[in-house]
Amino acid sequence: MTPTFPLSAIQGQPQLVQALLLAAIEPALGGVLIQGPRGTAKSTAARALADVLAPAPFVTLPLGASIEHVVGSLDLSKALAGSEVAFAPGLLAKAHGGVLYVDEINLLPDAIVDVLLDVAASGINRVERDGISHSHAARFVLIGTMNPEEGALRPQLLDRLGLCVQLANAQDPRLRSAIVKARLRFDLDPAGFLQDHAQEQARTAERLRQARARCADAGQLLWSDAVHEEVARQCIEAQVDGLRADLVMLRAARALAAWEGCDAITEHHVAEVTPLVLLHRAGEPQRQAPPAPASAPSPSSAPVPGPQARFSSTANFHQNNAATHSQEQPPLDWGEPQPVASAPVDAQQADALALAALEALAAKKPAPPARSADASGAPPRPGATGRSVLDGERTRKPCASHGAALPRRHA
């Protein structure tokens, strides 16, 4: 069996250890999302939590798993052998009572993530597919890790994950060297390293067991009105959507009070768990407009609000809007007829320009078509001359005897 790095030996990540313990104390929180770069003890802490919960299974969900592999499906071997409809358990059933670890949860299909979050919150896996109807208990601590640089989860899925921890690389040289020394000691002598932390591991496991028992008792650690009001105030200030954040914060505060062995939940517990609950749910903070330079004159005595400012009434909105855009308004005489300057023109020069314009216009006007006449001066007969009926442009030529005297016939 591969030895597991002890939870009590993890250094530099107190928020991560606290979030994992709270999720183990109260499974209804819905799991923990761990964000951070590679090499920040994400998978090490997840396996260490399963070791503290021992005997508890540690199940890893691969990225290529299908929905049948996760929730379970029809047992085909029994169905083909004896015509028996039986259920084949999936990874959710195997993780019951332990830890379900999902590395790069942001790369899983949304359908599988939806199922994981539903089961993690309810503790029951219901399967209605492949001609079977089956349900079984599936209480586990869901731990999902992701690197924000490789993609993000949808806001609907983020909201359903109970707690969130943002990890960063250790920048203190002493802390960084202490982490490396502990890992090197564990790799060189796992048995000796585990022996050095055996007593602290035992105390952590016993303390965790007692806290889980207190949280399971509905008669202990009830929320007071002051705690409810503090939770509501924190969620309102963070501008979260819905009430899931309020429920998660109350449950996390209760789990922390159980872990610390307190007799009641106080506002101190709420303040401790607030960053874990609101890190992935808080809305975008309002950005204030930069102050105007001192040299620029203000268009109004009131300060100009920034683009993200909020106005309390319609009157204030129009007043501030007018102050903001006063420099962009057109001049007062915009649209009025303006006088046009003119110079005196000589009368003879004007007559010459008018005559030249008339001659140019007459030159462009087409001349009328010419009409021929016979020797007597009478207009031509129809058909003898003029335009062709077919094309309207070609002119018929008169015959050779046209206009000559005809011989007189004798009786």
Side-chain angles (χ1 to χ4, degrees), residues 228-252:
H228 277 282
E229 292 177 2
E230 178 63 18
V231 169
R233 187 183 64 83
Q234 294 287 350
C235 294
I236 291 174
E237 289 182 357
Q239 300 180 357
V240 297
D241 294 332
L243 299 176
R244 185 174 285 115
D246 299 63
L247 298 174
V248 173
M249 192 177 298
L250 289 170
R251 291 166 180 165

mmCIF file with all atom_site columns, all heavy atoms in Angstrom, residues 228-252:
data_model
loop_
_atom_site.group_PDB
_atom_site.id
_atom_site.type_symbol
_atom_site.label_atom_id
_atom_site.label_alt_id
_atom_site.label_comp_id
_atom_site.label_asym_id
_atom_site.label_entity_id
_atom_site.label_seq_id
_atom_site.pdbx_PDB_ins_code
_atom_site.Cartn_x
_atom_site.Cartn_y
_atom_site.Cartn_z
_atom_site.occupancy
_atom_site.B_iso_or_equiv
_atom_site.pdbx_formal_charge
_atom_site.auth_seq_id
_atom_site.auth_comp_id
_atom_site.auth_asym_id
_atom_site.auth_atom_id
_atom_site.pdbx_PDB_model_num
ATOM 1   N N   . HIS A 1 228 ? -27.721 34.832 12.221 1.00 0.00 ? 228 HIS A N   1
ATOM 2   C CA  . HIS A 1 228 ? -28.488 34.922 10.978 1.00 0.00 ? 228 HIS A CA  1
ATOM 3   C C   . HIS A 1 228 ? -28.355 36.300 10.352 1.00 0.00 ? 228 HIS A C   1
ATOM 4   O O   . HIS A 1 228 ? -28.180 36.431 9.123  1.00 0.00 ? 228 HIS A O   1
ATOM 5   C CB  . HIS A 1 228 ? -29.961 34.606 11.256 1.00 0.00 ? 228 HIS A CB  1
ATOM 6   C CG  . HIS A 1 228 ? -30.268 33.140 11.277 1.00 0.00 ? 228 HIS A CG  1
ATOM 7   N ND1 . HIS A 1 228 ? -30.398 32.395 10.126 1.00 0.00 ? 228 HIS A ND1 1
ATOM 8   C CD2 . HIS A 1 228 ? -30.464 32.276 12.312 1.00 0.00 ? 228 HIS A CD2 1
ATOM 9   C CE1 . HIS A 1 228 ? -30.672 31.140 10.438 1.00 0.00 ? 228 HIS A CE1 1
ATOM 10  N NE2 . HIS A 1 228 ? -30.716 31.044 11.763 1.00 0.00 ? 228 HIS A NE2 1
ATOM 11  N N   . GLU A 1 229 ? -28.436 37.342 11.161 1.00 0.00 ? 229 GLU A N   1
ATOM 12  C CA  . GLU A 1 229 ? -28.329 38.699 10.636 1.00 0.00 ? 229 GLU A CA  1
ATOM 13  C C   . GLU A 1 229 ? -26.930 38.982 10.092 1.00 0.00 ? 229 GLU A C   1
ATOM 14  O O   . GLU A 1 229 ? -26.777 39.654 9.059  1.00 0.00 ? 229 GLU A O   1
ATOM 15  C CB  . GLU A 1 229 ? -28.683 39.695 11.734 1.00 0.00 ? 229 GLU A CB  1
ATOM 16  C CG  . GLU A 1 229 ? -30.149 39.662 12.148 1.00 0.00 ? 229 GLU A CG  1
ATOM 17  C CD  . GLU A 1 229 ? -30.445 40.615 13.288 1.00 0.00 ? 229 GLU A CD  1
ATOM 18  O OE1 . GLU A 1 229 ? -29.492 41.318 13.722 1.00 0.00 ? 229 GLU A OE1 1
ATOM 19  O OE2 . GLU A 1 229 ? -31.606 40.664 13.737 1.00 0.00 ? 229 GLU A OE2 1
ATOM 20  N N   . GLU A 1 230 ? -25.907 38.472 10.743 1.00 0.00 ? 230 GLU A N   1
ATOM 21  C CA  . GLU A 1 230 ? -24.545 38.673 10.257 1.00 0.00 ? 230 GLU A CA  1
ATOM 22  C C   . GLU A 1 230 ? -24.330 37.961 8.921  1.00 0.00 ? 230 GLU A C   1
ATOM 23  O O   . GLU A 1 230 ? -23.698 38.500 8.000  1.00 0.00 ? 230 GLU A O   1
ATOM 24  C CB  . GLU A 1 230 ? -23.542 38.165 11.293 1.00 0.00 ? 230 GLU A CB  1
ATOM 25  C CG  . GLU A 1 230 ? -22.082 38.285 10.867 1.00 0.00 ? 230 GLU A CG  1
ATOM 26  C CD  . GLU A 1 230 ? -21.648 39.721 10.660 1.00 0.00 ? 230 GLU A CD  1
ATOM 27  O OE1 . GLU A 1 230 ? -22.327 40.645 11.155 1.00 0.00 ? 230 GLU A OE1 1
ATOM 28  O OE2 . GLU A 1 230 ? -20.618 39.922 9.987  1.00 0.00 ? 230 GLU A OE2 1
ATOM 29  N N   . VAL A 1 231 ? -24.856 36.756 8.793  1.00 0.00 ? 231 VAL A N   1
ATOM 30  C CA  . VAL A 1 231 ? -24.734 36.022 7.531  1.00 0.00 ? 231 VAL A CA  1
ATOM 31  C C   . VAL A 1 231 ? -25.468 36.756 6.418  1.00 0.00 ? 231 VAL A C   1
ATOM 32  O O   . VAL A 1 231 ? -24.961 36.896 5.287  1.00 0.00 ? 231 VAL A O   1
ATOM 33  C CB  . VAL A 1 231 ? -25.274 34.592 7.710  1.00 0.00 ? 231 VAL A CB  1
ATOM 34  C CG1 . VAL A 1 231 ? -25.417 33.899 6.356  1.00 0.00 ? 231 VAL A CG1 1
ATOM 35  C CG2 . VAL A 1 231 ? -24.347 33.783 8.606  1.00 0.00 ? 231 VAL A CG2 1
ATOM 36  N N   . ALA A 1 232 ? -26.678 37.237 6.703  1.00 0.00 ? 232 ALA A N   1
ATOM 37  C CA  . ALA A 1 232 ? -27.432 37.977 5.695  1.00 0.00 ? 232 ALA A CA  1
ATOM 38  C C   . ALA A 1 232 ? -26.693 39.247 5.274  1.00 0.00 ? 232 ALA A C   1
ATOM 39  O O   . ALA A 1 232 ? -26.659 39.603 4.086  1.00 0.00 ? 232 ALA A O   1
ATOM 40  C CB  . ALA A 1 232 ? -28.819 38.317 6.235  1.00 0.00 ? 232 ALA A CB  1
ATOM 41  N N   . ARG A 1 233 ? -26.098 39.948 6.232  1.00 0.00 ? 233 ARG A N   1
ATOM 42  C CA  . ARG A 1 233 ? -25.367 41.161 5.901  1.00 0.00 ? 233 ARG A CA  1
ATOM 43  C C   . ARG A 1 233 ? -24.165 40.878 5.012  1.00 0.00 ? 233 ARG A C   1
ATOM 44  O O   . ARG A 1 233 ? -23.910 41.603 4.040  1.00 0.00 ? 233 ARG A O   1
ATOM 45  C CB  . ARG A 1 233 ? -24.906 41.857 7.193  1.00 0.00 ? 233 ARG A CB  1
ATOM 46  C CG  . ARG A 1 233 ? -24.283 43.225 6.983  1.00 0.00 ? 233 ARG A CG  1
ATOM 47  C CD  . ARG A 1 233 ? -23.792 43.822 8.295  1.00 0.00 ? 233 ARG A CD  1
ATOM 48  N NE  . ARG A 1 233 ? -22.710 43.020 8.864  1.00 0.00 ? 233 ARG A NE  1
ATOM 49  C CZ  . ARG A 1 233 ? -21.439 43.136 8.494  1.00 0.00 ? 233 ARG A CZ  1
ATOM 50  N NH1 . ARG A 1 233 ? -21.103 44.027 7.561  1.00 0.00 ? 233 ARG A NH1 1
ATOM 51  N NH2 . ARG A 1 233 ? -20.507 42.393 9.036  1.00 0.00 ? 233 ARG A NH2 1
ATOM 52  N N   . GLN A 1 234 ? -23.428 39.815 5.312  1.00 0.00 ? 234 GLN A N   1
ATOM 53  C CA  . GLN A 1 234 ? -22.272 39.463 4.482  1.00 0.00 ? 234 GLN A CA  1
ATOM 54  C C   . GLN A 1 234 ? -22.685 39.119 3.054  1.00 0.00 ? 234 GLN A C   1
ATOM 55  O O   . GLN A 1 234 ? -22.029 39.528 2.085  1.00 0.00 ? 234 GLN A O   1
ATOM 56  C CB  . GLN A 1 234 ? -21.522 38.277 5.116  1.00 0.00 ? 234 GLN A CB  1
ATOM 57  C CG  . GLN A 1 234 ? -20.862 38.574 6.451  1.00 0.00 ? 234 GLN A CG  1
ATOM 58  C CD  . GLN A 1 234 ? -19.627 39.431 6.315  1.00 0.00 ? 234 GLN A CD  1
ATOM 59  O OE1 . GLN A 1 234 ? -19.134 39.670 5.215  1.00 0.00 ? 234 GLN A OE1 1
ATOM 60  N NE2 . GLN A 1 234 ? -19.117 39.918 7.438  1.00 0.00 ? 234 GLN A NE2 1
ATOM 61  N N   . CYS A 1 235 ? -23.758 38.378 2.900  1.00 0.00 ? 235 CYS A N   1
ATOM 62  C CA  . CYS A 1 235 ? -24.195 37.972 1.559  1.00 0.00 ? 235 CYS A CA  1
ATOM 63  C C   . CYS A 1 235 ? -24.760 39.145 0.776  1.00 0.00 ? 235 CYS A C   1
ATOM 64  O O   . CYS A 1 235 ? -24.588 39.222 -0.444 1.00 0.00 ? 235 CYS A O   1
ATOM 65  C CB  . CYS A 1 235 ? -25.229 36.857 1.669  1.00 0.00 ? 235 CYS A CB  1
ATOM 66  S SG  . CYS A 1 235 ? -24.576 35.307 2.333  1.00 0.00 ? 235 CYS A SG  1
ATOM 67  N N   . ILE A 1 236 ? -25.436 40.063 1.461  1.00 0.00 ? 236 ILE A N   1
ATOM 68  C CA  . ILE A 1 236 ? -25.967 41.235 0.768  1.00 0.00 ? 236 ILE A CA  1
ATOM 69  C C   . ILE A 1 236 ? -24.833 42.129 0.292  1.00 0.00 ? 236 ILE A C   1
ATOM 70  O O   . ILE A 1 236 ? -24.859 42.655 -0.829 1.00 0.00 ? 236 ILE A O   1
ATOM 71  C CB  . ILE A 1 236 ? -26.941 41.998 1.691  1.00 0.00 ? 236 ILE A CB  1
ATOM 72  C CG1 . ILE A 1 236 ? -28.213 41.187 1.916  1.00 0.00 ? 236 ILE A CG1 1
ATOM 73  C CG2 . ILE A 1 236 ? -27.289 43.357 1.099  1.00 0.00 ? 236 ILE A CG2 1
ATOM 74  C CD1 . ILE A 1 236 ? -29.155 41.798 2.927  1.00 0.00 ? 236 ILE A CD1 1
ATOM 75  N N   . GLU A 1 237 ? -23.837 42.327 1.120  1.00 0.00 ? 237 GLU A N   1
ATOM 76  C CA  . GLU A 1 237 ? -22.699 43.158 0.717  1.00 0.00 ? 237 GLU A CA  1
ATOM 77  C C   . GLU A 1 237 ? -21.938 42.529 -0.441 1.00 0.00 ? 237 GLU A C   1
ATOM 78  O O   . GLU A 1 237 ? -21.395 43.246 -1.293 1.00 0.00 ? 237 GLU A O   1
ATOM 79  C CB  . GLU A 1 237 ? -21.764 43.370 1.908  1.00 0.00 ? 237 GLU A CB  1
ATOM 80  C CG  . GLU A 1 237 ? -22.323 44.286 2.985  1.00 0.00 ? 237 GLU A CG  1
ATOM 81  C CD  . GLU A 1 237 ? -21.338 44.507 4.118  1.00 0.00 ? 237 GLU A CD  1
ATOM 82  O OE1 . GLU A 1 237 ? -20.238 43.891 4.061  1.00 0.00 ? 237 GLU A OE1 1
ATOM 83  O OE2 . GLU A 1 237 ? -21.649 45.275 5.046  1.00 0.00 ? 237 GLU A OE2 1
ATOM 84  N N   . ALA A 1 238 ? -21.887 41.204 -0.503 1.00 0.00 ? 238 ALA A N   1
ATOM 85  C CA  . ALA A 1 238 ? -21.191 40.527 -1.597 1.00 0.00 ? 238 ALA A CA  1
ATOM 86  C C   . ALA A 1 238 ? -22.026 40.448 -2.863 1.00 0.00 ? 238 ALA A C   1
ATOM 87  O O   . ALA A 1 238 ? -21.515 40.029 -3.908 1.00 0.00 ? 238 ALA A O   1
ATOM 88  C CB  . ALA A 1 238 ? -20.773 39.124 -1.170 1.00 0.00 ? 238 ALA A CB  1
ATOM 89  N N   . GLN A 1 239 ? -23.325 40.820 -2.795 1.00 0.00 ? 239 GLN A N   1
ATOM 90  C CA  . GLN A 1 239 ? -24.222 40.814 -3.946 1.00 0.00 ? 239 GLN A CA  1
ATOM 91  C C   . GLN A 1 239 ? -24.310 39.437 -4.591 1.00 0.00 ? 239 GLN A C   1
ATOM 92  O O   . GLN A 1 239 ? -24.203 39.280 -5.804 1.00 0.00 ? 239 GLN A O   1
ATOM 93  C CB  . GLN A 1 239 ? -23.772 41.851 -4.970 1.00 0.00 ? 239 GLN A CB  1
ATOM 94  C CG  . GLN A 1 239 ? -23.757 43.274 -4.453 1.00 0.00 ? 239 GLN A CG  1
ATOM 95  C CD  . GLN A 1 239 ? -23.312 44.281 -5.496 1.00 0.00 ? 239 GLN A CD  1
ATOM 96  O OE1 . GLN A 1 239 ? -22.962 43.913 -6.610 1.00 0.00 ? 239 GLN A OE1 1
ATOM 97  N NE2 . GLN A 1 239 ? -23.309 45.541 -5.130 1.00 0.00 ? 239 GLN A NE2 1
ATOM 98  N N   . VAL A 1 240 ? -24.509 38.414 -3.773 1.00 0.00 ? 240 VAL A N   1
ATOM 99  C CA  . VAL A 1 240 ? -24.633 37.060 -4.284 1.00 0.00 ? 240 VAL A CA  1
ATOM 100 C C   . VAL A 1 240 ? -26.053 36.839 -4.779 1.00 0.00 ? 240 VAL A C   1
ATOM 101 O O   . VAL A 1 240 ? -27.000 37.515 -4.361 1.00 0.00 ? 240 VAL A O   1
ATOM 102 C CB  . VAL A 1 240 ? -24.275 36.024 -3.196 1.00 0.00 ? 240 VAL A CB  1
ATOM 103 C CG1 . VAL A 1 240 ? -22.840 36.175 -2.786 1.00 0.00 ? 240 VAL A CG1 1
ATOM 104 C CG2 . VAL A 1 240 ? -25.193 36.177 -1.986 1.00 0.00 ? 240 VAL A CG2 1
ATOM 105 N N   . ASP A 1 241 ? -26.212 35.893 -5.692 1.00 0.00 ? 241 ASP A N   1
ATOM 106 C CA  . ASP A 1 241 ? -27.515 35.543 -6.226 1.00 0.00 ? 241 ASP A CA  1
ATOM 107 C C   . ASP A 1 241 ? -28.112 34.399 -5.408 1.00 0.00 ? 241 ASP A C   1
ATOM 108 O O   . ASP A 1 241 ? -27.428 33.414 -5.121 1.00 0.00 ? 241 ASP A O   1
ATOM 109 C CB  . ASP A 1 241 ? -27.405 35.121 -7.695 1.00 0.00 ? 241 ASP A CB  1
ATOM 110 C CG  . ASP A 1 241 ? -26.972 36.279 -8.581 1.00 0.00 ? 241 ASP A CG  1
ATOM 111 O OD1 . ASP A 1 241 ? -27.282 37.428 -8.205 1.00 0.00 ? 241 ASP A OD1 1
ATOM 112 O OD2 . ASP A 1 241 ? -26.336 36.034 -9.619 1.00 0.00 ? 241 ASP A OD2 1
ATOM 113 N N   . GLY A 1 242 ? -29.376 34.519 -5.076 1.00 0.00 ? 242 GLY A N   1
ATOM 114 C CA  . GLY A 1 242 ? -30.047 33.442 -4.367 1.00 0.00 ? 242 GLY A CA  1
ATOM 115 C C   . GLY A 1 242 ? -29.677 33.378 -2.895 1.00 0.00 ? 242 GLY A C   1
ATOM 116 O O   . GLY A 1 242 ? -29.018 34.265 -2.333 1.00 0.00 ? 242 GLY A O   1
ATOM 117 N N   . LEU A 1 243 ? -30.102 32.273 -2.271 1.00 0.00 ? 243 LEU A N   1
ATOM 118 C CA  . LEU A 1 243 ? -29.893 32.071 -0.836 1.00 0.00 ? 243 LEU A CA  1
ATOM 119 C C   . LEU A 1 243 ? -28.975 30.894 -0.522 1.00 0.00 ? 243 LEU A C   1
ATOM 120 O O   . LEU A 1 243 ? -28.810 30.547 0.649  1.00 0.00 ? 243 LEU A O   1
ATOM 121 C CB  . LEU A 1 243 ? -31.246 31.848 -0.143 1.00 0.00 ? 243 LEU A CB  1
ATOM 122 C CG  . LEU A 1 243 ? -32.249 32.995 -0.258 1.00 0.00 ? 243 LEU A CG  1
ATOM 123 C CD1 . LEU A 1 243 ? -33.567 32.598 0.378  1.00 0.00 ? 243 LEU A CD1 1
ATOM 124 C CD2 . LEU A 1 243 ? -31.704 34.252 0.397  1.00 0.00 ? 243 LEU A CD2 1
ATOM 125 N N   . ARG A 1 244 ? -28.393 30.290 -1.545 1.00 0.00 ? 244 ARG A N   1
ATOM 126 C CA  . ARG A 1 244 ? -27.524 29.145 -1.270 1.00 0.00 ? 244 ARG A CA  1
ATOM 127 C C   . ARG A 1 244 ? -26.294 29.564 -0.474 1.00 0.00 ? 244 ARG A C   1
ATOM 128 O O   . ARG A 1 244 ? -25.815 28.819 0.383  1.00 0.00 ? 244 ARG A O   1
ATOM 129 C CB  . ARG A 1 244 ? -27.118 28.466 -2.582 1.00 0.00 ? 244 ARG A CB  1
ATOM 130 C CG  . ARG A 1 244 ? -26.309 27.204 -2.361 1.00 0.00 ? 244 ARG A CG  1
ATOM 131 C CD  . ARG A 1 244 ? -26.031 26.455 -3.653 1.00 0.00 ? 244 ARG A CD  1
ATOM 132 N NE  . ARG A 1 244 ? -27.212 25.756 -4.136 1.00 0.00 ? 244 ARG A NE  1
ATOM 133 C CZ  . ARG A 1 244 ? -27.851 26.031 -5.276 1.00 0.00 ? 244 ARG A CZ  1
ATOM 134 N NH1 . ARG A 1 244 ? -27.419 27.024 -6.031 1.00 0.00 ? 244 ARG A NH1 1
ATOM 135 N NH2 . ARG A 1 244 ? -28.903 25.337 -5.659 1.00 0.00 ? 244 ARG A NH2 1
ATOM 136 N N   . ALA A 1 245 ? -25.778 30.747 -0.722 1.00 0.00 ? 245 ALA A N   1
ATOM 137 C CA  . ALA A 1 245 ? -24.608 31.211 0.026  1.00 0.00 ? 245 ALA A CA  1
ATOM 138 C C   . ALA A 1 245 ? -24.937 31.368 1.511  1.00 0.00 ? 245 ALA A C   1
ATOM 139 O O   . ALA A 1 245 ? -24.105 31.050 2.372  1.00 0.00 ? 245 ALA A O   1
ATOM 140 C CB  . ALA A 1 245 ? -24.109 32.529 -0.545 1.00 0.00 ? 245 ALA A CB  1
ATOM 141 N N   . ASP A 1 246 ? -26.151 31.841 1.830  1.00 0.00 ? 246 ASP A N   1
ATOM 142 C CA  . ASP A 1 246 ? -26.536 31.975 3.239  1.00 0.00 ? 246 ASP A CA  1
ATOM 143 C C   . ASP A 1 246 ? -26.555 30.619 3.927  1.00 0.00 ? 246 ASP A C   1
ATOM 144 O O   . ASP A 1 246 ? -26.058 30.459 5.059  1.00 0.00 ? 246 ASP A O   1
ATOM 145 C CB  . ASP A 1 246 ? -27.922 32.624 3.334  1.00 0.00 ? 246 ASP A CB  1
ATOM 146 C CG  . ASP A 1 246 ? -27.943 34.008 2.715  1.00 0.00 ? 246 ASP A CG  1
ATOM 147 O OD1 . ASP A 1 246 ? -27.716 34.109 1.484  1.00 0.00 ? 246 ASP A OD1 1
ATOM 148 O OD2 . ASP A 1 246 ? -28.192 34.974 3.427  1.00 0.00 ? 246 ASP A OD2 1
ATOM 149 N N   . LEU A 1 247 ? -27.141 29.616 3.261  1.00 0.00 ? 247 LEU A N   1
ATOM 150 C CA  . LEU A 1 247 ? -27.225 28.285 3.869  1.00 0.00 ? 247 LEU A CA  1
ATOM 151 C C   . LEU A 1 247 ? -25.844 27.676 4.069  1.00 0.00 ? 247 LEU A C   1
ATOM 152 O O   . LEU A 1 247 ? -25.554 27.089 5.118  1.00 0.00 ? 247 LEU A O   1
ATOM 153 C CB  . LEU A 1 247 ? -28.088 27.383 2.987  1.00 0.00 ? 247 LEU A CB  1
ATOM 154 C CG  . LEU A 1 247 ? -29.554 27.810 2.807  1.00 0.00 ? 247 LEU A CG  1
ATOM 155 C CD1 . LEU A 1 247 ? -30.252 26.921 1.788  1.00 0.00 ? 247 LEU A CD1 1
ATOM 156 C CD2 . LEU A 1 247 ? -30.280 27.757 4.141  1.00 0.00 ? 247 LEU A CD2 1
ATOM 157 N N   . VAL A 1 248 ? -24.996 27.812 3.056  1.00 0.00 ? 248 VAL A N   1
ATOM 158 C CA  . VAL A 1 248 ? -23.649 27.247 3.165  1.00 0.00 ? 248 VAL A CA  1
ATOM 159 C C   . VAL A 1 248 ? -22.858 27.942 4.268  1.00 0.00 ? 248 VAL A C   1
ATOM 160 O O   . VAL A 1 248 ? -22.128 27.301 5.039  1.00 0.00 ? 248 VAL A O   1
ATOM 161 C CB  . VAL A 1 248 ? -22.924 27.339 1.810  1.00 0.00 ? 248 VAL A CB  1
ATOM 162 C CG1 . VAL A 1 248 ? -21.465 26.913 1.951  1.00 0.00 ? 248 VAL A CG1 1
ATOM 163 C CG2 . VAL A 1 248 ? -23.609 26.473 0.777  1.00 0.00 ? 248 VAL A CG2 1
ATOM 164 N N   . MET A 1 249 ? -22.999 29.254 4.391  1.00 0.00 ? 249 MET A N   1
ATOM 165 C CA  . MET A 1 249 ? -22.264 29.987 5.415  1.00 0.00 ? 249 MET A CA  1
ATOM 166 C C   . MET A 1 249 ? -22.715 29.582 6.809  1.00 0.00 ? 249 MET A C   1
ATOM 167 O O   . MET A 1 249 ? -21.887 29.438 7.734  1.00 0.00 ? 249 MET A O   1
ATOM 168 C CB  . MET A 1 249 ? -22.430 31.489 5.207  1.00 0.00 ? 249 MET A CB  1
ATOM 169 C CG  . MET A 1 249 ? -21.478 32.338 6.034  1.00 0.00 ? 249 MET A CG  1
ATOM 170 S SD  . MET A 1 249 ? -21.632 34.114 5.705  1.00 0.00 ? 249 MET A SD  1
ATOM 171 C CE  . MET A 1 249 ? -21.195 34.168 3.973  1.00 0.00 ? 249 MET A CE  1
ATOM 172 N N   . LEU A 1 250 ? -24.012 29.398 7.004  1.00 0.00 ? 250 LEU A N   1
ATOM 173 C CA  . LEU A 1 250 ? -24.503 28.961 8.311  1.00 0.00 ? 250 LEU A CA  1
ATOM 174 C C   . LEU A 1 250 ? -24.000 27.564 8.663  1.00 0.00 ? 250 LEU A C   1
ATOM 175 O O   . LEU A 1 250 ? -23.582 27.305 9.796  1.00 0.00 ? 250 LEU A O   1
ATOM 176 C CB  . LEU A 1 250 ? -26.029 28.992 8.323  1.00 0.00 ? 250 LEU A CB  1
ATOM 177 C CG  . LEU A 1 250 ? -26.677 30.386 8.327  1.00 0.00 ? 250 LEU A CG  1
ATOM 178 C CD1 . LEU A 1 250 ? -28.175 30.274 8.089  1.00 0.00 ? 250 LEU A CD1 1
ATOM 179 C CD2 . LEU A 1 250 ? -26.398 31.097 9.644  1.00 0.00 ? 250 LEU A CD2 1
ATOM 180 N N   . ARG A 1 251 ? -24.032 26.659 7.696  1.00 0.00 ? 251 ARG A N   1
ATOM 181 C CA  . ARG A 1 251 ? -23.547 25.299 7.964  1.00 0.00 ? 251 ARG A CA  1
ATOM 182 C C   . ARG A 1 251 ? -22.047 25.280 8.207  1.00 0.00 ? 251 ARG A C   1
ATOM 183 O O   . ARG A 1 251 ? -21.550 24.520 9.056  1.00 0.00 ? 251 ARG A O   1
ATOM 184 C CB  . ARG A 1 251 ? -23.911 24.392 6.791  1.00 0.00 ? 251 ARG A CB  1
ATOM 185 C CG  . ARG A 1 251 ? -25.409 24.122 6.662  1.00 0.00 ? 251 ARG A CG  1
ATOM 186 C CD  . ARG A 1 251 ? -25.744 23.509 5.323  1.00 0.00 ? 251 ARG A CD  1
ATOM 187 N NE  . ARG A 1 251 ? -27.163 23.241 5.202  1.00 0.00 ? 251 ARG A NE  1
ATOM 188 C CZ  . ARG A 1 251 ? -27.785 22.969 4.055  1.00 0.00 ? 251 ARG A CZ  1
ATOM 189 N NH1 . ARG A 1 251 ? -27.083 22.923 2.921  1.00 0.00 ? 251 ARG A NH1 1
ATOM 190 N NH2 . ARG A 1 251 ? -29.088 22.732 4.037  1.00 0.00 ? 251 ARG A NH2 1
ATOM 191 N N   . ALA A 1 252 ? -21.301 26.091 7.458  1.00 0.00 ? 252 ALA A N   1
ATOM 192 C CA  . ALA A 1 252 ? -19.854 26.136 7.665  1.00 0.00 ? 252 ALA A CA  1
ATOM 193 C C   . ALA A 1 252 ? -19.509 26.731 9.027  1.00 0.00 ? 252 ALA A C   1
ATOM 194 O O   . ALA A 1 252 ? -18.577 26.262 9.700  1.00 0.00 ? 252 ALA A O   1
ATOM 195 C CB  . ALA A 1 252 ? -19.200 26.941 6.546  1.00 0.00 ? 252 ALA A CB  1
#
